[in-house]
Amino acid sequence: MRIKFNMRNRYMIMIDMALTIIAVLGAYALRLELGALFFFYLPSAYWMIAVSLLIKIPIYYLFSLYRRLWGYASTRELRLIFLAVTSASVLVSAVMILLLTFKVFNGFPRSVLIIDWLLSIFLVGGTRFAIRLIADNVSTAANSMKKRPAKRALIIGAGDAGAL
């Protein structure tokens, strides 16, 4: 069976890759305050960036974060983002601890894993809901520019079809 890749959200993949790098470096910077320890642990940060990129993006894809219309996002999508980021962060944590066990790098502060998880939820979720806010503002502006009165409509049904 061949999986067809939806290119509609290809820009979201690139944004998520950038956000993943920002989250990891931000976690190290918040934990180590850009001092001498930050540069000491920088090799482990590079490893964590590589591991995060290899794990988080496919996990987000498996959780269908790239097959959604974020202009219609709701709390259900927020829960999905939470589950996807948490699952990916658990796998990243396991791999990083495994790499530490095999002495691939000199060590790293374990609290970075939790800070990265929090930053990832904030950045990934914030980006998607910013898209929702922009879509709402654009549609509101477009409706206010129309001169004719709006027609009232009753939508029967629920779910995605009703939102569309």
Side-chain angles (χ1 to χ4, degrees):
M1 184 167 102
R2 188 170 167 233
I3 298 174
K4 184 179 178 185
F5 182 69
N6 187 352
M7 293 302 285
R8 176 178 43 202
N9 287 324
R10 65 186 174 273
Y11 298 114
M12 289 305 298
I13 293 173
M14 291 187 286
I15 290 170
D16 282 346
M17 291 173 81
L19 293 177
T20 298
I21 295 168
I22 290 168
V24 171
L25 291 177
Y28 273 84
L30 286 172
R31 171 61 177 86
L32 302 170
E33 299 178 356
L34 292 177
L37 282 177
F38 177 80
F39 295 103
F40 175 77
Y41 286 119
L42 204 53
S44 68
Y46 294 145
W47 275 98
M48 189 166 168
I49 288 171
V51 168
S52 294
L53 287 173
L54 290 173
I55 291 176
K56 287 184 178 183
I57 303 303
I59 292 292
Y60 296 167
Y61 182 78
L62 289 175
F63 275 85
S64 301
L65 294 188
Y66 302 120
R67 291 179 276 207
R68 303 224 177 251
L69 295 174
W70 292 102
Y72 301 105
S74 65
T75 55
R76 185 175 21 180
E77 279 78 17
L78 185 61
R79 187 180 61 165
L80 183 69
I81 290 168
F82 178 81
L83 290 173
V85 170
T86 301
S87 300
S89 292
V90 166
L91 285 174
V92 167
S93 299
V95 170
M96 287 300 292
I97 291 171
L98 189 66
L99 290 174
L100 180 64
T101 305
F102 288 120
K103 305 284 186 207
V104 174
F105 43 82
N106 290 333
F108 72 102
R110 291 352 161 254
S111 59
V112 165
L113 299 171
I114 295 169
I115 297 169
D116 173 63
W117 172 72
L118 289 170
L119 287 175
S120 294
I121 287 175
F122 178 73
L123 292 172
V124 171
T127 303
R128 268 102 175 140
F129 280 92
I131 293 170
R132 166 71 192 262
L133 290 174
I134 291 169
D136 282 348
N137 287 338
V138 167
S139 67
T140 303
N143 286 338
S144 67
M145 290 175 55
K146 292 180 182 177
K147 301 289 185 207
R148 56 192 161 128
K151 292 183 180 179
R152 296 192 179 267
L154 174 65
I155 299 174
I156 299 174
D160 295 332
L164 289 174

